[in-house]
Amino acid sequence: MVTNKPKLWTKDFIVAASVNFFLVLVFYLLVVTIAVYAVEEYGASTSEAGLVTGIFIIGVLTGRLFIGRILDRIGRKRTMVIGLILFTLTALFYFVNIGLSFLLLTRFLHGMTLGMASTAAGTIVAQIIPATRKGEGIGYFSMSTTLATAIGPFIGLVMSQYSSYEMIFALCFLLGAFSLGVSLFIDVPPVELPPGMPQTKGFKISNYVEPKAVPIAVITFAASLGYASVLSFINFYAMEIDLVETASFFFLVYAISILLSRPFTGRLMDLKGANFIMYPAFLIFAAGLFLLSRADSGADLLIAGALIGLGFGNIQSTTQAVAVKLTPPHRMGLATSTFFIFMDAALGFGPYLIGYIIAAAGYSNLYAIFSGAVLLFAVLYFFLHGRKDKAIHATDTVKDN
């Protein structure tokens, strides 16, 4: 007997994933180059160079908070196109050298426009993915981010060695322009607002974040703190244990691990529910961090990278799928925004707090501490979502049938 599965790889899905890929690619390309640029071109201090890098995340968070509440009033496609126009134009500001303050403003605005465009792209994907393939579809969509986090830094480091900063900024502009051109071909069905739905006027928390998505977003925040300790400090740790050369392959192995697992884990989530993925992912993530804390060879380091990718990578995509599944269609924009706000906050501000742990305990103990913390996050997940997931999955299955 042949069953007709709803199509996932549509033109609109591919366009939205491509837009997300190029946005994240530009972000990571600049992350590895902009601090050095600030020092060399503007004479910035180390702390000022760090601010030039970090203020982009603040801009992203601001963009997500701003756009989440008005996304459906503007229109999802229109929001993405406007965000991409501003993202592309803002890239031109990097060519204007009138002081460090203007560079900081440029970084903030560039981050804000990325927050707008990527929130719209994520919301569109959540809308157009068939309900019975939500976990699988968001898993594939998240792979666009995974690829960009591996390719972006590689391009940035190569270009910083063999070309000028002007060429780097020109590439960012061209990638933004290409994304803008591609986005015009997407078709987004209109979203029906429920009759009698109150207008989102005045200041209310629910106008900026989706309350139903907050519990799972808290789990995303907690898990992302563990990943932030790796993302921000793995190079320093590699220097300490004399594995710098091997560390250059760490995120490549991390990305491959996610790419190989994502097609299966997304499908399993749709069939079995989020718990079937989340609890093993917490254990694998914790095991990867513990192995990292005890690494004394290149093999240890790379196996740790594979385990962390398998663990955290699937926690991230599964929690995003849960966030949009819990939310009515007209609130998906806020749910997507809420998810990314919590994740970006952990990745953006977490390293500052983690620095205090390193100062007190050192790098090796840092990863051992987070290994234990991830197991506690699994307990937190049970209370915030896990104990309800079976009933939610059963309800979704009934609706889909």
Side-chain angles (χ1 to χ4, degrees), residues 216 275 279 380-391:
I216 199 67
N275 287 353
Y279 290 122
L380 181 63
Y381 167 79
F382 170 78
F383 286 105
L384 291 181
H385 179 80
R387 58 183 174 174
K388 301 175 288 186
D389 184 71
K390 192 172 181 180

Side-chain angles (χ1 to χ4, degrees), residues 24 65 67 108 119 133 160 175 188 203 223 235 285 320:
V24 179
L65 280 168
I67 209 63
F108 176 80
T119 299
R133 304 186 72 180
S160 65
L175 292 175
V188 182
F203 179 82
N235 284 338
F285 188 19
Q320 184 179 357

Side-chain angles (χ1 to χ4, degrees), residues 15-282:
V15 168
S18 298
V19 167
N20 184 69
F21 171 77
F22 287 117
L23 286 170
V24 179
L25 181 72
V26 169
F27 166 55
Y28 278 94
L29 191 160
L30 289 173
V31 157
V32 298
T33 56
I34 200 68
V36 178
Y37 170 73
V39 172
E40 292 182 355
E41 298 294 322
Y42 294 88
S45 65
T46 304
S47 59
E48 287 171 336
L51 182 59
V52 168
T53 301
I55 200 169
F56 191 95
I57 295 287
I58 299 172
V60 171
L61 289 169
T62 304
R64 295 196 194 283
L65 280 168
F66 166 74
I67 209 63
R69 67 174 299 202
I70 61 173
L71 183 61
D72 287 321
R73 276 190 273 168
I74 298 173
R76 294 175 181 183
K77 177 179 178 178
R78 186 178 299 170
T79 301
M80 184 170 70
V81 170
I82 291 171
L84 287 169
I85 290 171
L86 296 174
F87 180 79
T88 304
L89 292 176
T90 307
L92 294 174
F93 292 176
Y94 288 109
F95 292 99
V96 181
N97 189 334
I98 55 174
L100 188 62
S101 296
F102 187 77
L103 179 61
L104 287 167
L105 176 63
T106 297
R107 292 288 291 160
F108 176 80
L109 293 175
H110 208 204
M112 188 173 177
T113 57
L114 184 145
M116 293 171 58
S118 64
T119 299
T123 305
I124 290 168
V125 160
Q127 176 188 346
I128 63 179
I129 292 172
T132 53
R133 304 186 72 180
K134 196 72 79 179
E136 183 184 2
I138 288 179
Y140 280 123
F141 177 74
S142 298
M143 282 166 59
S144 64
T145 298
T146 303
L147 283 170
T149 58
I151 296 171
F154 174 76
I155 294 174
L157 290 172
V158 169
M159 290 190 71
S160 65
Q161 293 177 56
Y162 299 106
S163 67
S164 65
Y165 289 110
E166 286 73 18
M167 289 295 293
I168 292 173
F169 300 145
L171 177 61
C172 293
F173 171 78
L174 291 173
L175 292 175
F178 179 78
S179 299
L180 173 59
V182 167
S183 72
L184 300 176
F185 293 95
I186 198 169
D187 296 311
V188 182
V191 178
E192 295 288 335
L193 297 180
M197 189 183 80
Q199 293 293 316
T200 56
K201 293 180 179 178
F203 179 82
K204 289 195 299 183
I205 294 296
S206 61
N207 292 346
Y208 295 90
V209 298
E210 170 51 53
K212 290 183 179 179
V214 167
I216 199 67
V218 168
I219 299 302
T220 305
F221 176 86
S224 296
L225 282 177
Y227 181 59
S229 70
V230 177
L231 184 65
S232 300
F233 298 106
I234 187 66
N235 284 338
F236 294 100
Y237 180 50
M239 291 176 196
E240 183 176 273
I241 60 176
D242 196 25
L243 291 173
V244 175
E245 194 170 321
T246 306
S248 62
F249 295 97
F250 182 91
F251 288 106
L252 180 61
V253 173
Y254 167 89
I256 291 171
S257 176
I258 294 176
L259 291 173
L260 292 177
S261 67
R262 194 63 59 77
F264 306 103
T265 53
R267 202 170 301 146
L268 282 171
M269 180 195 164
D270 290 328
L271 291 172
K272 303 285 189 179
N275 287 353
F276 196 80
I277 303 299
M278 290 292 287
Y279 290 122
F282 279 120

Side-chain angles (χ1 to χ4, degrees), residues 336-378:
T336 304
S337 172
T338 301
F339 170 84
F340 281 113
I341 284 168
F342 277 72
M343 187 171 76
D344 290 342
L347 296 178
F349 300 111
Y352 177 76
L353 301 174
I354 292 166
Y356 287 102
I357 301 177
I358 293 170
Y363 294 108
S364 178
N365 289 331
L366 167 73
Y367 296 122
I369 289 167
F370 267 110
S371 175
V374 166
L375 297 178
L376 294 178
F377 298 159

